[in-house]
């Protein structure tokens, strides 16, 4: 055991746990995972506690762990509170509590003067109709909890669609969000450690297709210093308000009136995967540093420009990727399934031209538009 | 299982296996290790087959593996031959057979016209005395097999020391090597895959202290294109002669008459650890690509200059390392012990000055001279 060694327990055993472990072992850390089976992406990268007998698996993982973390913003707040009675868990329950409910999250944005779309929580056809009246159309109707990758959403363009929207995603608590006229989707990854050190990655540009992130350009082009600083100020406010420890990600819209917050995730994020080879310290390593009481690493890019291209649904011609000098393959060891994130490819380049040439070579991995 | 997934069995579970696994998982590979205990550096990074019942552990590892490799040039040739009857093992036995015996190794250098020190295999005080007479002094007396990190060596400076030298390291087959008057110790890492693709990393400069590598500068400074090409030609000759698959490392002396081969290792090498962050593809990833039938990755450095500083004996102030923006910590999860390699620190820099400033900051990890 070296002086920095900690045993880290991860709730979940998917690709995020896998990449946390790959980043954490070189720091001397050890990993354990709570997962559904020994086939999960993290299964070979540490002690695996399977959920066949969930209560005892969880107890064993807690007993193993010096500190714990989790993969999903849908992790139970009650569970995290319970674990925290005996074992440190980061991010703490407050980050989860706000992140996993779009209404609470937007309330926090408001209270911190972080611009976001007009919104209203609704729980009936009547309240939805009234909200549409106040917010205007188009607007997006979403579940307040648990939606991701565009699931559980309905874009209402005309009042005639209100009934249909309620039928399709309603019957539970929803949030109606006013439409934001944006030029680009951006995101920022920030990290705070137990000693209150804050670091920020540059804003990146994200391109989605059918609700799923397809690729990220990092840093986003043509971002002024003022806009980067603005994003960092929003993040600092959130990190401090939440007393957040670990990585926090904020998705933003770029509009003519400035940045508008969309949603946050209290975890390492797909739009931060470029940092593995693209930044001096990856988001994964910085999350591990943050939760284990280590100094945070430098977040500067290692090259002019980088990109991350997701591998979705089918593994595709990954051998061809290995012949590209500046491409880095990251597979998650998951079976193919429509819409599933199976891996990603990081790219580094000395110029935008060079980067887009590489992205063009990866057309097999990108949606046909 | 993705199309590129292979199960890789590693004979050994030390830091080399650990770093092979960390490099291999992103390619979708899975790992199993044969090791002495669950406390070894690779233990948490794959299926662990411990040697408590070595025969059955080995059988289980073979059954697990699509392809096998090993950490040490001292792996039994007979064992590798036996495994190869059922399961591919790379590098194959020929590479081992020549690498693990200094006499055979030098015979191969001779046959391929790769310059090396004059040498003679001796097995008695008489033959040693005769060899000293022919080769001259100073000369180094070494065991023909198994020595590493300067162990089992005796530098004979005067004929009066011959008796003492024989007493200290003799009583078995030895090799006497003529002294090479060198300006620098260099090494080159090369890789050949099953499809006969060859790639070469740049020559690096190594600084040893008491027989142990302390730091590497990569690429070595002031190496002409001709010298790099010469080194690559030597490596190509060796790779082809051995029908080698995987990483092969050659240690060389830089002399006024050109490069002189010292010894080779049929494996990833300490002097190649800089490639993890320093090159577009690390030696570990390229070894995995080579033995699993994948195209080899680009070996170009990612920055002007890089370095690797070994952490020897004591873990030292590694938290301070984490505050250095361009330093990358790699711990092996090994207990402290004098002379033991516990980890390394990679550095990247835009200039030699910047690099040496960083190395100076790491003085706690370097021998006091």
């Amino acid at each position: 055991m070296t002086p920095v060694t900690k045993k880290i327990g991860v709730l979940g055993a998917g690709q995020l746990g896998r990449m946390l472990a790959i980043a954490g072992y070189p720091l001397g850390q050890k990993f354990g995972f709570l997962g559904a089976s020994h086939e999960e992406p993290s299964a070979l990268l540490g002690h695996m506690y399977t959920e066949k007998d969930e209560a005892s698996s969880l107890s064993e993982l807690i007993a193993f762990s010096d500190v714990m973390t989790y993969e999903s913003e849908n992790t139970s707040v009650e569970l995290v509170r319970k674990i925290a009675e005996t074992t440190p868990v980061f991010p703490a329950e407050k980050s989860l509590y706000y992140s996993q409910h779009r209404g609470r999250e937007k309330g926090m944005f408001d209270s911190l003067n972080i611009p976001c779309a007009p919104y209203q929580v609704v729980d009936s056809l009547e309240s939805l109709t009234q909200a549409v009246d106040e917010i205007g159309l188009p607007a997006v109707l979403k579940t307040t909890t648990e939606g991701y990758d565009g699931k559980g959403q309905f874009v209402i363009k005309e009042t005639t669609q209100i009934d249909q929207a309620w039928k399709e995603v309603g019957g539970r608590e929803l949030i109606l969000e006013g439409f934001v006229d944006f030029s680009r989707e951006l995101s920022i990854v920030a990290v705070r450690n137990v000693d209150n050190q804050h670091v920020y990655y540059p804003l990146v540009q994200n391109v989605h297709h059918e609700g799923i992130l397809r690729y990220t350009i990092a840093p986003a082009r043509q971002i002024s210093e003022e806009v980067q600083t603005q994003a960092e100020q929003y993040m600092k406010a959130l990190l401090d308000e939440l007393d957040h420890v670990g990585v926090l990600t904020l998705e933003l819209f770029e509009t003519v009136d400035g940045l508008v917050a969309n949603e946050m995730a209290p975890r390492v994020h797909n739009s931060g995967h470029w940092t593995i080879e693209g930044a001096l310290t990856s988001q994964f390593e910085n999350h591990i540093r943050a939760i284990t009481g280590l100094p945070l690493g430098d977040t500067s890019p290692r090259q002019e420009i980088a990109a991350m291209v997701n591998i979705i649904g089918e593994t595709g011609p990954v051998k061809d990727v290995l012949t590209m000098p500046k491409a880095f393959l990251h597979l998650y060891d998951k079976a193919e399934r429509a819409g599933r994130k199976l891996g990603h490819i990081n790219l580094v380049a000395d110029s935008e031209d060079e980067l887009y040439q590489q992205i063009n070579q990866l057309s097999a991995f990108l949606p046909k538009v």
Side-chain angles (χ1 to χ4, degrees), chain A:
Chain A
M1 295 282 283
T2 57
V4 293
T5 300
K6 287 255 168 66
K7 290 181 185 158
I8 299 167
V10 182
L11 301 173
Q15 66 260 28
L16 301 183
R18 178 177 170 98
M19 291 185 278
L20 285 170
I22 289 170
Y25 279 107
L27 300 179
Q29 316 296 21
K30 298 170 187 276
F31 287 82
F33 302 94
L34 186 71
S37 84
H38 286 277
E39 303 303 311
E40 291 206 59
S42 305
L44 285 176
L45 284 148
H47 291 290
M48 190 68 191
Y49 302 88
T50 59
E51 288 175 340
K52 278 171 191 169
D53 175 0
E54 193 173 334
S56 72
S57 293
L58 179 60
S59 307
E60 286 170 28
L61 178 64
I62 294 170
F64 161 84
S65 303
D66 296 319
V67 59
M68 295 186 70
T69 189
Y70 44 83
E71 283 192 312
S72 167
E73 61 272 37
N74 296 322
T75 304
S76 152
V77 172
E78 290 67 34
L79 176 64
V80 166
R81 185 183 305 142
K82 182 127 189 55
I83 294 170
E85 289 169 11
T86 60
T87 306
V89 196
F90 301 115
E93 62 170 279
K94 189 173 181 185
S95 297
L96 263 186
Y97 179 78
Y98 283 93
S99 303
Q100 65 188 210
H101 190 285
R102 291 195 170 83
R104 291 197 282 264
E105 185 177 77
K106 289 212 153 47
M108 174 171 286
F109 292 157
D110 281 347
S111 76
L112 297 171
N113 294 314
I114 300 172
C116 63
Y119 66 94
Q120 207 157 307
V121 174
V122 299
D123 58 2
S124 65
L125 184 57
E126 290 68 38
S127 57
L128 172 58
T129 308
Q130 194 188 342
V132 167
D133 200 45
E134 282 176 29
I135 290 171
L137 293 181
V140 190
L141 187 63
K142 302 175 176 178
T143 55
T144 49
T145 59
E146 296 212 334
Y148 67 96
D149 288 353
K151 288 168 193 165
Q153 302 200 356
F154 192 105
V155 180
I156 308 178
K157 290 175 186 165
E158 298 175 31
T159 49
T160 55
Q161 293 177 291
I162 294 177
D163 278 3
Q164 191 197 342
W166 179 254
K167 239 177 243 160
E168 281 198 17
V169 294
R172 51 181 161 173
E173 192 187 57
L174 297 173
I175 187 169
L176 187 75
E177 296 178 6
F179 181 76
V180 177
D181 187 14
F182 62 87
S183 50
R184 294 189 292 179
E185 295 179 84
L186 306 175
S187 61
I188 182 166
V189 170
V191 201
R192 180 171 172 269
N193 71 4
V194 287
D195 298 320
N196 201 32
Q197 186 188 357
H198 300 65
V199 295
Y200 308 92
Y201 289 90
L203 281 161
V204 299
Q205 178 178 351
N206 301 313
V207 177
H208 291 79
H209 180 72
E210 294 176 355
I212 301 175
L213 179 63
R214 299 313 293 245
Y215 68 93
T216 294
I217 304 291
R221 298 292 87 179
Q222 293 171 302
I223 296 289
S224 67
E225 232 173 86
E226 288 69 31
V227 169
Q228 175 69 27
T229 303
Q230 182 66 81
E232 293 182 10
Q233 283 167 352
Y234 293 156
M235 289 309 271
K236 181 164 194 322
L238 287 167
L239 290 166
D240 290 344
E241 173 65 24
L242 294 167
D243 200 16
H244 187 91
V245 170
V247 163
L248 181 70
T249 307
L250 181 63
E251 296 183 28
L252 296 149
F253 298 117
E254 182 185 50
T255 77
V256 288
D257 302 321
L259 297 173
V260 171
N262 180 20
E263 59 180 39
M264 63 182 180
R267 56 167 170 81
V268 289
H269 193 264
N270 197 168
S271 69
H273 289 0
W274 68 275
T275 59
I276 298 177
E277 288 89 9
L280 281 171
T281 314
S282 78
Q283 65 167 349
F284 300 101
E285 178 169 340
N286 260 334
H287 185 73
I288 296 301
R289 290 187 186 212
I291 69 170
T292 56
L294 295 173
L296 300 180
D298 195 295
T299 55
S300 306
R302 288 195 64 188
Q303 62 291 308
E304 176 58 26
I305 187 164
M308 186 284 310
V309 175
N310 268 333
I311 301 173
I312 308 280
E314 294 172 18
T315 306
V318 290
K319 270 200 184 188
D320 296 346
V321 175
L322 299 177
T323 66
M324 294 170 61
K326 293 171 151 186
F328 305 88
L329 180 62
H330 296 270
L331 293 175
Y332 308 150
D333 196 17
K334 289 162 76 175
E336 297 185 342
R337 196 169 71 200
R340 199 178 204 197
K341 289 175 181 171
L342 304 177
H344 71 272
I345 299 152
N346 282 347
L347 301 171
V348 298
D350 296 327
S351 69
E352 247 179 284
D353 278 358
E354 188 195 358
L355 188 76
Y356 279 102
Q357 274 171 26
Q358 291 172 289
I359 292 176
N360 287 339
Q361 281 185 264
L362 297 178
S363 60
F365 297 95
L366 290 166
K368 314 294 166 279
V369 282

